[in-house]
Amino acid sequence: MKRSLCAALFFGAVLGASGSASAQVWLSDRSLAEGRGIRTGNFELHPGIGAEFGYDSNAFYQSAADAAGVSRTPPSALRLRITPSFSVSTLGAQRLRNSSTTASQPTVNFRAGLGLGVHLFFSPDGVGNPSTLNGVDGTASIRADFFPGRTWQFSIGDEFQRSIQAGSEVLLADRSTTSPTRNFNTATLELAYAPGRGTFEFRLGYNFIANIFDNPGNLADGRNYSSLNYLSHDITARVRWRFLPKTAVLFDAGVTPTSYLSSGTGGWYTGLFDSTPIRARVGLNGLITEKIALLAMVGYQATFFSGGDNADTVIGQAELRWIISDLANFRVGFQRDIQNSFIGNFVTRNRGYLTYQHSFDRRFLLQLDGSVGYQEYGYVAQASGARLAGVTGSDSVSGRFSAVRAEGSIFGEYRFTEVFGMNLTFAASSNITDAAVGLNRLDFTRFSAFLGARLAW
């Protein structure tokens, strides 16, 4: 075993994942991010700014011990984050309904948004160096939907996300006290055919995905993050046939050729291989009663990596939605799928989840999210595709390893006025596994708590 391998930093990442773990809750939910807005002509503007201060128990998602059993304290951090945001869009449905003039069906619906996050990390106990995470991240998006509600529709858009912290979907192992800055961009084209007022709908889409890391890492230790840069071409087809007013048969399928820019062989500890995953599902989505809705999908997915391990299996999703009232709803479901991973090629996810959201008198908003999943990773490979030695906690025959992932969050906000509110966020996550590569264990536990305030017009 090479010495550098024993000091490795490994990623157990979902390649197509989007969103920053450091983003504030309201920036990821339009209904929370936007207030009443400012109307100017046929557009509405939504400026806003928020600030939070809190505690992060494990800023680098480290294990509390190495594979040899030597314990240590993962670096924690006090954190300040400030998030200005701005969005502009054509008039929404509420403003159109409240307008004194009769509005015709628009030719185009347009939306653009920008959100920044300024992050400052402070060490409360002198362990590690969380200040290396100080920086600016954010999101930017733009989308135009042409001829909405017509027989032929066309959409074009782009979404960019920049993250200074790896987040719960990237497992950072052991001795690293730095985190790569990740840039994730998705450009979208979509064509839709929807005759008969949307009773039947067919959508053909194309997404060009680029995943690029800013910093190359510590080349002396072999941590070359640029080896993880990749491009994907995601081609999708979706069909919806509404056979009842609020119930439809669904079909979706896709293929996502993915290529590493460094050919997947240089500057990283494990093999990184190009792939052409395919997937297809069919199912039903609609109301069972006036208050209960069901989504049920089942299908097949296969990975087709050029080297290392591969998977093909049944996938699906089942979800019940309880529409308690206009101000409250509850969802519970189960999802099984395959996601690409930087370690072991893929991860097969079996995940149960629930979400509860309730607005009390439109003043106090409470949102609860939780999930528990069993995840199975492919065997860790060398650049040649052969199994990598020194992997513990894996199956002796297949070489695959598993993990239990548990995550939960509580968000509460009291809105003093339509534009000002104060909020409190608690979040916890844990990756439970015996797997280790060299001395690097892939388990971690993390919790955080933040108190914040925001202005949102």
Side-chain angles (χ1 to χ4, degrees):
M1 180 72 58
K2 294 181 180 180
R3 185 177 180 181
S4 62
L5 180 60
C6 294
L9 170 69
F10 281 101
F11 285 75
V14 176
L15 291 186
S18 63
S20 168
S22 59
Q24 292 169 312
V25 172
W26 57 78
L27 292 184
S28 62
D29 188 328
R30 185 186 306 169
S31 65
L32 303 182
E34 297 180 349
R36 59 189 176 188
I38 303 168
R39 178 170 180 173
T40 171
N42 291 324
F43 293 89
E44 56 182 270
L45 313 179
H46 294 275
I49 187 169
E52 287 182 305
F53 184 78
Y55 174 77
D56 186 335
S57 71
N58 191 345
F60 297 103
Y61 295 84
Q62 293 184 354
S63 173
D66 63 23
V70 179
S71 62
R72 63 175 177 275
T73 302
S76 60
L78 296 174
R79 298 181 54 177
L80 172 67
R81 53 194 187 193
I82 302 171
T83 54
S85 62
F86 177 78
S87 68
V88 56
S89 66
T90 49
L91 294 181
Q94 181 177 358
R95 286 190 181 274
L96 289 174
R97 285 195 301 267
N98 295 337
S99 175
S100 59
T101 60
T102 302
S104 60
Q105 186 81 328
T107 302
V108 58
N109 285 331
F110 171 81
R111 170 172 291 276
L114 176 67
L116 298 178
V118 181
H119 302 261
L120 295 175
F121 291 75
F122 310 92
S123 176
D125 51 17
V127 176
N129 188 19
S131 63
T132 60
L133 293 170
N134 291 349
V136 178
D137 64 8
T139 64
S141 63
I142 185 169
R143 183 179 176 92
D145 298 312
F146 295 91
F147 315 117
R150 294 0 184 244
T151 298
W152 289 97
Q153 305 167 33
F154 178 72
S155 299
I156 183 170
D158 190 87
E159 182 175 357
F160 171 78
Q161 296 181 330
R162 175 178 171 85
S163 174
I164 63 171
Q165 192 181 28
S168 62
E169 291 172 342
V170 179
L171 306 183
L172 298 182
D174 297 341
R175 293 179 176 85
S176 174
T177 55
T178 61
S179 182
T181 301
R182 185 181 188 181
N183 302 283
F184 194 88
N185 192 83
T186 303
T188 300
L189 295 173
E190 187 176 61
L191 178 67
Y193 174 63
R197 297 184 179 181
T199 300
F200 172 84
E201 181 179 272
F202 172 75
R203 292 183 175 270
L204 182 64
Y206 169 73
N207 299 298
F208 176 67
I209 301 168
N211 177 84
I212 306 294
F213 289 90
D214 272 6
N215 46 326
N218 187 341
L219 298 180
D221 290 341
R223 288 199 301 271
N224 187 354
Y225 299 120
S226 62
S227 297
L228 304 178
N229 296 344
Y230 67 85
L231 302 177
S232 294
H233 305 270
D234 182 38
I235 303 168
T236 62
R238 293 182 292 167
V239 176
R240 185 189 68 178
W241 174 52
R242 193 177 63 206
F243 64 94
L244 292 174
K246 295 183 179 181
T247 304
V249 173
L250 306 177
F251 171 81
D252 63 60
V255 57
T256 311
T258 299
S259 301
Y260 286 94
L261 301 186
S262 63
S263 300
T265 58
W268 202 248
Y269 303 106
T270 68
L272 300 169
F273 305 101
D274 297 348
S275 63
T276 309
I278 62 171
R279 62 196 180 278
R281 303 185 307 168
V282 64
L284 183 74
N285 186 27
L287 290 175
I288 300 176
T289 69
E290 291 184 357
K291 296 288 187 178
I292 303 295
L294 171 68
L295 170 66
M297 303 287 289
V298 65
Y300 167 85
Q301 187 170 356
T303 56
F304 298 105
F305 284 92
S306 60
D309 206 354
N310 273 289
D312 62 287
T313 187
V314 172
I315 60 172
Q317 183 177 7
E319 179 182 286
L320 277 175
R321 303 184 297 279
W322 179 20
I323 307 167
I324 303 171
S325 69
D326 292 341
L327 303 178
N329 63 83
F330 175 79
R331 295 188 304 147
V332 60
F334 174 81
Q335 184 176 21
R336 176 180 170 84
D337 62 9
I338 305 173
Q339 298 288 339
N340 285 7
S341 171
F342 289 128
I343 179 171
N345 278 355
F346 67 88
V347 53
T348 302
R349 304 189 307 170
N350 299 275
R351 172 177 169 265
Y353 60 90
L354 60 85
T355 299
Y356 173 69
Q357 188 177 80
H358 197 143
S359 176
F360 297 87
D361 197 30
R362 304 190 187 274
R363 283 281 189 178
F364 177 72
L365 175 69
L366 176 66
Q367 180 170 311
L368 308 177
D369 294 280
S371 67
V372 177
Y374 177 79
Q375 305 184 155
E376 185 178 37
Y377 292 79
Y379 66 75
V380 184
Q382 305 174 32
S384 65
R387 287 191 203 174
L388 185 70
V391 179
T392 58
S394 60
D395 183 82
S396 59
V397 176
S398 67
R400 297 178 176 181
F401 66 92
S402 61
V404 174
R405 177 71 64 86
E407 299 176 312
S409 66
I410 302 174
F411 173 80
E413 179 177 79
Y414 184 81
R415 296 175 177 175
F416 294 90
T417 69
E418 289 185 358
V419 299
F420 176 70
M422 294 193 67
N423 53 79
L424 192 63
T425 306
F426 295 97
S429 59
S430 183
N431 196 65
I432 305 167
T433 179
D434 295 327
V437 183
L439 290 178
N440 301 293
R441 291 174 50 155
L442 302 179
D443 63 314
F444 72 83
T445 298
R446 174 179 178 262
F447 67 89
S448 61
F450 290 91
L451 175 66
R454 71 176 182 120
L455 290 167
W457 286 267

